[in-house]
Amino acid sequence: MTARNPLSEEELSCPVCCDIFRDPVLISCSHSVCKTCLQQFWVAKGSRECPVCRRRSSRELPPSNLVLKNVCESFLESRSQRSSAGSEGLCVLHNEKLKLFCLDDQQPVCLVCQTSKKHKSHDFCPVDEAVTEFKDKLKSALEPLHENLRFVFPHRLSFQTQAQHTERQIKEGFEKLHQFLRDEEAARIAALKEEEEQKGQMMRRKIEEMNGEISALSDTIRNIEKEMEAEDVLFLQFESDLCKRGLTPKDPEKTSGALINVGKHLSNLKFRVWENMQEVLQYTPVTLDPNTADPVLHLSDDLTAVENTKQRSSLPDNPERFDDGWCVLGSEGFNSGIHCWDVQVGDSDYWSLGVITESGTRKGDSFWGSVWRLNYDKSNNTIWIFCPGQSDHSFTPKEKLQRVRVQLDWDRGKVTFTDLLTSTHLHTITHTFTQRVLPLFYNYSVHPLRILPVKPSVTVEHTLPTPPLK
């Protein structure tokens, strides 16, 4: 009797491809991965990290896990034997070998079944012919599945890498906010300590003055008490002389501003910190969607700039991505209202700005038929205006374009382009929009197009309560 394998199929599966290990290797962190899967993961990741625990491997060529390999081969052989058991079955009715295949009933039969009433007038073929035909059909059916697998595997690795990169950027962004709050806290505590020191020095000077006054007052009191023992006429003369010299005792002065100005330090503390935060915060009305970027484009980490690397990178060919247009879209679409974004075109020698319908195709170059755009060609200093359903036209700008504003008025069906440096209106495209549109950016140049931030502001509104109805 064959011993039962103590390990389950899940325990013998690769953590990357989720299939039984094929030529497993042992990473320095003690995790095992298929050799091919590990190589593909390292290429996609760009570093030698373990796919399970993310620890860096100390070896470029991890050794084979021969024990695990033998266990997996034994498991596969055992499974194969179990699946092949009973493959040469006998007819349950006549105990004869199943040599024919009934084409009408789609089942294997024996020679006796062929002549029975149940299969009378049915069509038959040899079992081996039926097997060959079914295998051919399965191969044809498996081809698109293999194609999907070739797409899904690198796509999954890209998904993991993308998630890790995004998580790292989120942490970096919050660390900057945490550092700002720590700096704000330190600055406000330092201001409090400074005031505490100033008030302490003032109080020490005041105490020294009061000590001098107390000493002088004590001498006066002793003199007065001594004179009070004199005869009445002499005492009256002393009291009159004391009044003329202004030495009549007076109430001590109260010190103003001796307390810490608590209101200065705590009044609207959170709001004032938020207000100061505007100096480090940056708001961009439109950001770029990296899932739509053509593989030759490179986006900045903050998703506000795009440049053309002229080299195609290995990005997943997802449906949202351009593959032949050097374009990238904004991450948010619009189907109402007025929206505008400013773009620094700088030294880019060939670029386009505009909007595209959200439902438009992204593959090939047929998508240009659903783009409303302004196109600039530095080689002949020409601006082209393209609008679906309308004739194209061109003109020469009076000044070199550096910054361009794109304003979309979806409700009125207008896309307006303006030269920001000279406040010159370049052109307005008119069209009746019926669906959501997305900002589009096309850059042929290695020089980036950059979406400019707008300065945020904090305002306070006083809302008067509504008087009750009488």
Side-chain angles (χ1 to χ4, degrees):
M1 180 180 293
T2 304
R4 182 180 181 273
N5 195 318
L7 297 177
S8 66
E9 182 172 348
E10 181 179 355
E11 293 172 311
L12 296 176
S13 297
C14 171
V16 176
C17 65
C18 300
D19 200 356
I20 301 298
F21 284 106
R22 299 286 185 181
D23 193 12
V25 293
L26 183 63
I27 311 176
S28 56
C29 60
S30 299
H31 289 114
S32 294
V33 184
C34 292
K35 182 177 181 180
T36 302
C37 295
L38 184 63
Q39 291 174 346
Q40 292 178 346
F41 180 83
W42 283 358
V43 170
K45 183 67 177 174
S47 62
R48 297 198 303 270
E49 293 183 2
C50 172
V52 180
C53 64
R54 305 304 180 193
R55 289 179 59 185
R56 184 174 179 82
S57 174
S58 58
R59 296 187 178 184
E60 184 176 357
L61 297 174
S64 297
N65 192 337
L66 298 179
V67 175
L68 181 59
K69 181 179 180 181
N70 293 335
V71 172
C72 291
E73 289 177 351
S74 176
F75 179 84
L76 292 173
E77 182 179 356
S78 175
R79 188 170 66 177
S80 177
Q81 290 175 354
R82 291 195 301 269
S83 63
S84 62
S87 60
E88 290 196 17
L90 301 177
C91 177
V92 296
L93 297 178
H94 309 105
N95 200 29
E96 295 285 340
K97 283 191 175 182
L98 302 172
K99 294 184 177 182
L100 298 176
F101 185 79
C102 180
L103 300 176
D104 295 84
D105 293 335
Q106 291 291 299
Q107 66 179 36
V109 296
C110 68
L111 295 176
V112 180
C113 291
Q114 181 184 19
T115 59
S116 65
K117 292 182 179 181
K118 181 180 178 181
H119 297 281
K120 188 177 181 180
S121 72
H122 286 183
D123 293 327
F124 301 89
C125 73
V127 168
D128 56 350
E129 290 185 8
V131 171
T132 302
E133 182 179 355
F134 281 127
K135 285 184 177 180
D136 292 340
K137 290 182 178 179
L138 285 176
K139 287 181 180 179
S140 300
L142 285 175
E143 286 181 2
L145 296 180
H146 283 300
E147 185 65 28
N148 289 340
L149 184 60
R150 284 192 292 272
F151 170 78
V152 170
F153 184 76
H155 191 75
R156 187 176 73 171
L157 294 179
S158 176
F159 166 80
Q160 294 172 341
T161 304
Q162 190 181 37
Q164 294 166 2
H165 179 68
T166 304
E167 179 181 353
R168 184 170 62 253
Q169 287 183 290
I170 291 174
K171 289 181 177 179
E172 291 174 356
F174 272 96
E175 177 55 31
K176 291 180 181 179
L177 294 178
H178 294 160
Q179 186 59 49
F180 171 82
L181 293 177
R182 287 193 290 267
D183 293 343
E184 279 285 312
E185 178 186 12
R188 294 178 183 278
I189 291 179
L192 174 61
K193 295 294 184 182
E194 182 180 0
E195 183 180 355
E196 180 184 15
E197 178 63 24
Q198 292 174 352
K199 295 295 174 66
Q201 293 178 359
M202 182 183 70
M203 290 304 299
R204 285 193 291 272
R205 288 195 301 269
K206 201 68 178 177
I207 289 174
E208 291 177 358
E209 294 175 0
M210 291 177 64
N211 287 336
E213 293 176 359
I214 290 174
S215 178
L217 185 59
S218 297
D219 293 341
T220 302
I221 291 173
R222 285 194 296 270
N223 292 334
I224 292 175
E225 290 176 345
K226 183 178 180 181
E227 293 296 333
M228 287 175 63
E229 297 175 356
E231 295 180 0
D232 294 344
V233 175
L234 293 176
F235 174 74
L236 292 174
Q237 291 177 348
F238 171 76
E239 195 278 338
S240 176
D241 182 59
L242 189 66
C243 291
K244 289 179 181 179
R245 288 185 293 164
L247 296 178
T248 303
K250 59 181 179 179
D251 294 334
E253 294 182 1
K254 295 180 179 180
T255 303
S256 176
L259 300 178
I260 296 295
N261 189 350
V262 178
K264 169 187 173 183
H265 299 286
L266 295 183
S267 178
N268 294 315
L269 175 62
K270 296 177 182 178
F271 177 83
R272 287 161 57 199
V273 172
W274 178 40
E275 199 172 25
N276 290 343
M277 195 176 289
Q278 295 177 83
E279 299 177 3
V280 298
L281 293 181
Q282 179 173 296
Y283 174 75
T284 308
V286 169
T287 56
L288 305 175
D289 182 358
N291 293 337
T292 66
D294 188 288
V296 302
L297 299 180
H298 175 264
L299 308 186
S300 60
D301 287 341
D302 61 0
L303 304 179
T304 62
V306 53
E307 61 186 35
N308 195 322
T309 64
K310 306 296 184 178
Q311 294 182 351
R312 193 175 186 86
S313 57
S314 57
L315 294 175
D317 187 22
N318 50 301
E320 301 88 354
R321 189 179 306 281
F322 291 94
D323 62 357
D324 190 29
W326 300 334
C327 294
V328 62
L329 300 182
S331 59
E332 183 179 355
F334 310 109
N335 58 2
S336 64
I338 299 176
H339 312 272
C340 73
W341 50 97
D342 301 335
V343 182
Q344 180 172 313
V345 297
D347 296 325
S348 179
D349 49 14
Y350 198 85
W351 50 264
S352 288
L353 302 174
V355 296
I356 184 175
T357 56
E358 186 176 38
S359 62
T361 180
R362 313 284 169 81
K363 305 304 180 183
D365 58 0
S366 60
F367 66 89
W368 290 116
S370 56
V371 179
W372 294 262
R373 72 188 193 277
L374 178 147
N375 189 91
Y376 177 72
D377 186 351
K378 184 179 179 180
S379 62
N380 51 22
N381 192 31
T382 302
I383 290 178
W384 285 86
I385 303 298
F386 299 95
C387 181
Q390 300 180 18
S391 58
D392 306 335
H393 66 280
S394 63
F395 60 93
T396 300
K398 296 180 180 179
E399 302 287 343
K400 175 179 170 54
L401 296 179
Q402 289 291 327
R403 297 183 177 183
V404 176
R405 169 168 293 174
V406 183
Q407 178 170 305
L408 167 69
D409 188 339
W410 194 94
D411 299 319
R412 295 185 178 181
K414 293 182 178 181
V415 183
T416 302
F417 302 93
T418 306
D419 182 351
L420 274 183
L421 292 185
T422 62
S423 299
T424 302
H425 171 260
L426 298 174
H427 189 79
T428 296
I429 296 175
T430 58
H431 177 79
T432 302
F433 296 109
T434 58
Q435 58 177 298
R436 182 185 297 270
V437 296
L438 293 151
L440 178 137
F441 305 83
Y442 165 90
N443 190 10
Y444 177 76
S445 173
V446 294
H447 301 289
L449 300 180
R450 188 177 302 277
I451 306 171
L452 299 175
V454 297
K455 187 172 182 59
S457 62
V458 177
T459 59
V460 179
E461 294 184 359
H462 297 279
T463 303
L464 298 176
T466 304
L469 297 176
K470 297 182 178 179

